[in-house]
């Protein structure tokens, strides 16, 4: 599936990166994201999915290749500089301040903005009504699904053009997974481009415009989400069966 070059917001071009010098997890990964698009990143454990997310977000620095946001190379910038340019990353773990209230967590999400916080919080509460109900509650007392919603809400306080979600369904019950994924779709429909890193490949592909399959640090397959979901080869290798 070809992405319209005029609508590109983020490009990952032949990126090599890893945690140990001389031992790259990413082996020349390529990825393109269009404005308003949701792209699922799937693949087996150890394929480099979270490494790719962290590299785009500036938590890891690639030693080769480019990452371009609106045509500008951001590879090697620090995480705070990348946030300032419009990419927010929601990690799988440790994604809320447990000792702060829900409202305080949201306010921390916008600490770099010199704008009134009330309308920003009102927008988040509209998207996540449960957070409004829990706004005075300590984040550490929330359920797993509520914490995930708070983590996404805090990132959205900056109204980022690109949101990276790293395993948002991890350790959640099936009901909460459906609820969190429904919110992810709402965020995308509102115009935010989303990179969705997921082990729950079937659900991720079903709801995404496109999917990219990583294996051994390389992008092996790419196509429309539903097409990959129903591809027999992808199904046999990565979805635990012969397609969906």
């Amino acid at each position: 599936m070809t992405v319209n070059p005029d609508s590109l917001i983020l490009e990952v071009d032949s990126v090599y990166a890893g945690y140990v010098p001389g031992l790259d997890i990413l082996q020349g990964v390529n990825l393109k994201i269009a404005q308003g698009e949701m792209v699922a990143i799937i693949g087996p454990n150890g394929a480099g999915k979270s490494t790719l997310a962290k590299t785009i977000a500036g938590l890891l620095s690639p030693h080769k290749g480019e990452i371009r946001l609106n045509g500008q190379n951001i590879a090697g910038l620090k995480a705070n500089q990348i946030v300032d340019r419009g990419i927010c990353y929601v990690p799988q773990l440790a994604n809320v301040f447990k000792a702060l209230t829900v409202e305080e967590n949201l306010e921390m999400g916008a600490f770099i903005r010199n704008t009134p916080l009330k309308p920003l919080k009102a927008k988040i509460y509209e998207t996540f009504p449960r957070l409004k109900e829990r706004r005075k509650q300590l984040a550490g007392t929330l359920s797993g699904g509520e914490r995930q919603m708070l983590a996404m809400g805090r990132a959205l306080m900056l109204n980022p053009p690109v949101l990276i979600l790293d395993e948002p369904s991890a350790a959640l019950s099936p009901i909460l997974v459906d609820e969190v994924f429904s919110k992810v779709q709402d965020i995308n429909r509102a115009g935010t481009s989303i990179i969705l890193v997921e082990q729950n490949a079937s659900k991720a592909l079903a709801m995404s415009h496109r999917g990219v399959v990583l294996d051994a640090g390389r992008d092996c397959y790419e196509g429309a989400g539903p097409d990959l979901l129903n591809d027999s080869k992808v199904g046999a290798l990565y979805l635990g069966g012969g397609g969906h």
Side-chain angles (χ1 to χ4, degrees):
M1 182 179 178
T2 303
V3 179
N4 182 355
D6 294 333
S7 66
L8 282 178
I9 187 170
L10 182 70
E11 300 169 85
V12 177
D13 188 1
S14 301
V15 162
Y16 290 75
Y19 302 90
V20 179
L23 187 61
D24 288 322
I25 305 252
L26 302 182
Q27 297 281 333
V29 170
N30 300 282
L31 177 68
K32 290 179 171 62
I33 309 290
Q35 177 63 51
E37 189 179 33
M38 175 153 51
V39 176
I41 310 296
I42 67 166
N45 286 333
K49 301 185 299 297
S50 289
T51 303
L52 175 59
K54 292 174 183 176
T55 303
I56 296 171
L59 298 173
L60 288 174
S61 184
H63 83 261
K64 188 176 179 181
E66 289 192 355
I67 301 171
R68 295 185 292 274
L69 179 66
N70 293 317
Q72 299 295 314
N73 186 21
I74 60 171
L77 294 183
K78 294 180 180 179
N80 65 302
Q81 294 173 310
I82 289 177
V83 168
D84 196 42
R85 281 161 175 74
I87 297 178
C88 284
Y89 167 68
V90 179
Q92 175 184 346
L93 301 172
N95 54 15
V96 299
F97 298 106
K98 295 181 180 180
L100 301 181
T101 66
V102 166
E103 190 163 33
E104 288 168 340
N105 266 270
L106 293 180
E107 290 170 353
M108 286 294 292
F111 76 97
I112 66 171
R113 293 187 65 159
N114 188 25
T115 55
L117 296 183
K118 190 173 181 179
L120 296 174
K121 288 186 290 187
K123 185 177 179 181
I124 301 304
Y125 290 146
E126 184 178 343
T127 304
F128 301 100
R130 195 176 305 180
L131 295 183
K132 185 176 183 179
E133 297 171 6
R134 307 277 199 273
R135 63 187 182 278
K136 299 302 181 184
Q137 191 171 321
L138 292 179
T141 65
L142 299 177
S143 70
E146 290 166 344
R147 286 190 197 184
Q148 192 61 51
M149 292 178 198
L150 177 57
M152 289 191 289
R154 192 179 68 201
L156 290 171
M157 286 287 286
L158 292 174
N159 194 26
V162 179
L163 181 64
I164 304 172
L165 301 176
D166 194 353
E167 304 281 3
S169 74
L172 299 183
S173 70
I175 292 176
L176 287 177
V177 168
D178 288 342
E179 188 173 358
V180 167
F181 276 2
S182 176
K183 294 300 183 183
V184 171
Q185 287 179 295
D186 289 344
I187 293 165
N188 178 241
R189 290 189 192 106
T192 303
S193 300
I194 293 178
I195 299 174
L196 178 62
V197 175
E198 255 301 326
Q199 284 285 9
N200 194 332
S202 295
K203 279 188 175 293
L205 289 175
M207 63 189 276
S208 297
H209 298 100
R210 286 189 301 118
V212 174
V213 181
L214 291 191
D215 199 350
R218 298 179 184 274
D219 47 299
C220 298
Y221 299 95
E222 185 264 341
D227 290 347
L228 288 180
L229 184 62
N230 292 290
D231 185 289
S232 59
K233 188 172 183 180
V234 172
L237 291 174
Y238 305 106
L239 303 180
H244 186 69

